[in-house]
Amino acid sequence: MQILRRTLALLFAVLIGCMAEAATPVILPQPTLFTLREGTFRLTNQTQIHAPSELRNPAERFVEDVAAIVTLEAPHKASKQAEGIRLQLNKALPTEGYHMQITPREIRIEGGSAAGVYYGLQSLRQLVVQYGDSIPCCTIEDAPNFSYRGAHLDVVRHFFTVEEVKRYIDILAAHKLNRLHWHLTDDQGWRIEIKHYPELTEQASKRKETLIGHCLHSTTYDGVPYGPYYYTQEEIREVVVYAAARYVKIIPEIEMPSHAQAALHALPWLGCTEQQVEVWTHWGVSPEVMCGGKETTYEFLEQVLTEVMALFPSEYIHIGGDECPKERWEQCPHCQARIRELGLQDEGQNRTAENQLQSYLTARIERFLNAHGRRIIGWDDMLAGGITPTATVMSWQGTQGGIYAAQHGNHVVMTPMEYCYFDFYQTESREGEGLAIGGWVPFEKVYAWDPYAGLNDHERDYILGLQCNLWSEYIPNFNHLQRLLLPRLAALSEVQWATDRRDPTTIRIRMEQMRRLYELCDWSYAPYYFEGRK
Ligand code: TNX
């Protein structure tokens, strides 16, 4: 029965693929307006790209992106000659929006910015994948719904090389995402070079061994040292530049005061007890957190963030703040002295004095970063001790934290577990998936998500955007990572870009085209959606 079902699903997929070939051109995420016209534009290796100097970058990226299908010359300066592909800025368009007009003589793309032109070229790339060298004439108008379209990557639990991170960025950009949230520090490792504290990468970028199996059931370790793995500052700069050329901004995350056991291993004075702890070999929530009382913790954080700001031009810096057990703080004379000095009192429920001390730490770091022209983002856990004035809240424990933040006039990035945790299983049977943390987030669920549920019109204005998270406890290599990302990222990208104009009637056909793109680029993807398995 199982085999029959799968064979039928496969046949269906092939059939739809063939139909798509002859049928209307398809683009994912769904554009605002698409009008098919008579005729075709012939793309050959003689086709010239005309671009003013400020659009040279998107033009060069396009030449690379279609290289597997057609060899195009490097872009020419803008000229009056109308043949070929012509790129222009049009400030009347939305910043990331574009208009594309394809006639038999020319393909004209106007963008609100270089990013808008780049997204127009991503759509054109999809048409090239679908039709090869004869592109059907059409007009497209398009612009994104959300300005923040993110994906997160945990490089701590398992490390991914500079080349792999670049491939990850390629995949995001092809889906018109514009933010990479780079999770660089945690209990199991410290992965960013900080010149002022060389101990961090010397000692905290490796762990003795790694857990085998699931953290809830296993106490068996593999006995294999992991690391040293980290990025030098030079490598970080290289990745930032690479991402910027694809209109992806990188938001670095430095976890504080929790998920910091690796840092405590290298610098024991960061903890309350100052006793050395190991770089964690288990997954989960560790009680070993930075001391919130001692002034040295704040000096450390400011020093680290000063170097982080010099590396990352991003306005937003992610300061973590999730899952911070307070058992050390409750016993710590420094934390308790600070609580008394600040006059913090237990206000019942979540508003313990210790949770308020965490809010004090967040607010201090917020002021420090604000003074340097930056803004903070943190996980919704940081709401427990009270919300700080300018923080953007990343809502992962459902959307309640995000809704609460919006009601207080704070900005929000929605990334609720039940739709956005791509480390969760993709099928109900879990057959063939390998080990994952748990949960169930099939493609269809991501695609049907209403990110505005529970928000009124006023609160909606505070939602900057949406993000998927890839926590890498159970992601041992880049191939596996891609299979968790694809094809679910395609579903998310349509929710991010085309929230209110999603087109479920054509999603299967469009996904067949995306699959061709994945194969052409040699990106691995999970087969379940294409096999009809949820
Ligand atoms: C919770 S989501 C965490 C991470 C884990 C993840 C696993 C969040 C802010 N914290 O430390 O890796 O669950 O899904």
Side-chain angles (χ1 to χ4, degrees):
M1 191 58 208
Q2 188 84 334
I3 292 178
L4 184 70
R5 225 180 58 209
R6 276 199 214 153
T7 317
L8 280 176
L10 201 71
L11 265 174
F12 183 65
V14 170
L15 207 74
I16 282 186
C18 297
M19 278 159 54
E21 200 93 51
T24 41
V26 292
I27 287 169
L28 192 153
Q30 182 73 7
T32 314
L33 224 88
F34 185 98
T35 316
L36 188 62
R37 308 210 179 272
E38 281 290 301
T40 54
F41 176 94
R42 285 203 79 80
L43 191 65
T44 70
N45 48 16
Q46 308 292 312
T47 304
Q48 293 191 351
I49 308 179
H50 304 279
S53 56
E54 66 271 27
L55 296 178
R56 215 185 147 77
N57 176 62
E60 283 172 357
R61 298 287 78 75
F62 181 70
V63 172
E64 286 167 11
D65 283 345
V66 297
I69 305 173
V70 57
T71 309
L72 294 175
E73 277 175 46
H76 294 250
K77 285 219 183 75
S79 81
K80 289 274 173 283
Q81 190 195 337
E83 303 270 310
I85 301 174
R86 178 179 299 278
L87 309 181
Q88 277 169 352
L89 286 180
N90 177 351
K91 296 286 183 198
L93 295 174
T95 318
E96 294 182 294
Y98 66 91
H99 275 191
M100 176 152 60
Q101 177 121 35
I102 306 183
T103 66
R105 285 190 69 207
E106 71 163 2
I107 296 180
R108 179 194 295 263
I109 299 177
E110 295 182 0
S113 66
V117 170
Y118 180 76
Y119 295 131
L121 288 166
Q122 287 301 336
S123 296
L124 180 59
R125 174 196 199 177
Q126 293 187 9
L127 295 179
V128 175
V129 171
Q130 192 179 350
Y131 291 97
D133 58 5
S134 339
I135 317 285
C137 293
C138 59
T139 311
I140 303 177
E141 287 178 24
D142 203 4
N145 185 75
F146 285 108
S147 64
Y148 183 117
R149 303 180 302 280
H152 150 288
L153 177 61
D154 171 5
V155 294
V156 174
R157 279 57 176 270
H158 284 96
F159 182 73
F160 299 97
T161 64
V162 165
E163 280 316 303
E164 289 166 343
V165 176
K166 288 182 179 173
R167 290 291 81 72
Y168 195 79
I169 291 166
D170 292 343
I171 297 174
L172 304 194
H175 292 82
K176 302 190 172 89
L177 270 73
N178 62 2
R179 296 286 185 282
L180 168 64
H181 167 178
W182 206 1
H183 185 80
L184 290 161
T185 69
D186 213 302
D187 299 312
Q188 299 83 2
W190 183 282
R191 309 261 178 249
I192 170 173
E193 178 189 23
I194 300 294
K195 305 263 191 210
H196 199 266
Y197 301 106
E199 306 91 321
L200 287 170
T201 40
E202 277 163 19
Q203 294 166 36
S205 68
K206 54 187 182 217
R207 57 180 177 254
K208 191 174 76 204
E209 55 190 357
T210 300
L211 182 74
I212 298 176
H214 198 285
C215 72
L216 294 179
H217 319 295
S218 169
T219 47
T220 313
Y221 300 85
D222 63 6
V224 183
Y226 190 82
Y229 292 131
Y230 65 93
Y231 309 106
T232 62
Q233 294 204 347
E234 204 174 320
E235 287 172 324
I236 299 250
R237 279 196 199 92
E238 182 187 326
V239 175
V240 168
V241 168
Y242 186 90
R246 285 144 189 88
Y247 305 94
V248 172
K249 288 185 186 150
I250 303 190
I251 298 172
E253 180 180 359
I254 304 296
E255 280 267 23
M256 65 188 78
S258 47
H259 284 287
Q261 189 171 319
L264 266 62
H265 167 76
L267 308 169
W269 48 263
L270 272 177
C272 293
T273 64
E274 306 204 352
Q275 273 167 12
Q276 196 175 35
V277 290
E278 61 167 12
V279 177
W280 215 20
T281 56
H282 204 80
W283 316 128
V285 178
S286 160
E288 305 302 340
V289 303
M290 294 175 190
C291 176
K294 282 181 283 184
E295 203 48 32
T296 45
T297 302
Y298 297 86
E299 285 160 17
F300 167 81
L301 291 172
E302 292 188 2
Q303 183 60 46
V304 167
L305 290 171
T306 299
E307 293 192 33
V308 167
M309 283 189 283
L311 292 170
F312 294 94
S314 162
E315 184 188 9
Y316 288 102
I317 307 284
H318 202 300
I319 54 133
D322 56 315
E323 299 177 321
C324 185
K326 300 292 182 331
E327 47 204 88
R328 296 284 178 272
W329 288 16
E330 283 159 10
Q331 304 298 323
C332 170
H334 306 286
C335 290
Q336 292 306 317
R338 179 80 69 169
I339 283 171
R340 278 194 303 278
E341 179 196 314
L342 295 168
L344 305 177
Q345 310 255 325
D346 192 335
E347 292 172 11
Q349 288 183 332
N350 254 336
R351 291 181 73 95
T352 60
E354 287 76 17
N355 280 345
Q356 292 176 60
L357 180 58
Q358 185 178 344
S359 286
Y360 164 81
L361 180 142
T362 307
R364 257 186 84 168
I365 297 303
E366 175 181 40
R367 278 197 303 277
F368 173 75
L369 289 172
N370 289 169
H372 290 82
R374 309 299 180 105
R375 302 164 67 96
I376 62 164
I377 292 201
W379 299 110
D380 57 25
D381 315 54
M382 71 181 183
L383 297 171
I387 196 160
T388 60
T390 71
T392 295
V393 172
M394 208 166 247
S395 193
W396 70 278
Q397 302 172 92
T399 52
Q400 279 316 307
I403 294 172
Y404 175 87
Q407 285 163 350
H408 286 77
N410 288 58
H411 285 128
V412 176
V413 173
M414 288 291 193
T415 177
M417 273 191 288
E418 63 262 58
Y419 300 103
C420 297
Y421 271 43
F422 288 4
D423 57 337
F424 282 16
Y425 286 104
Q426 311 188 53
T427 67
E428 212 165 7
S429 75
R430 301 179 174 185
E431 201 185 309
E433 287 201 56
L435 182 64
I437 189 153
W440 178 58
V441 179
F443 180 99
E444 288 83 352
K445 195 171 173 186
V446 180
Y447 192 64
W449 174 37
D450 173 11
Y452 289 128
L455 290 155
N456 65 30
D457 285 351
H458 175 68
E459 290 155 8
R460 276 180 179 215
D461 291 346
Y462 291 93
I463 312 301
L464 294 181
L466 321 176
Q467 174 176 295
C468 61
N469 294 338
L470 267 164
W471 299 101
S472 61
E473 291 94 330
Y474 306 103
I475 310 180
N477 58 57
F478 191 58
N479 196 51
H480 193 82
L481 180 74
Q482 292 172 82
R483 289 168 60 96
L484 291 170
L485 187 64
L486 298 177
R488 287 185 288 190
L489 185 69
L492 179 71
S493 75
E494 185 142 308
V495 190
Q496 292 171 324
W497 181 278
T499 321
D500 298 321
R501 53 173 193 272
R502 273 172 269 182
D503 187 4
T505 60
T506 58
I507 188 70
R508 285 224 164 247
I509 291 173
R510 291 185 293 132
M511 284 309 296
E512 284 306 322
Q513 295 307 325
M514 290 310 274
R515 178 188 203 169
R516 287 172 68 172
L517 175 69
Y518 301 164
E519 274 168 12
L520 218 68
C521 297
D522 209 10
W523 296 334
S524 298
Y525 58 89
Y528 319 116
Y529 173 75
F530 301 104
E531 293 170 352
R533 276 177 69 196
K534 279 190 226 178

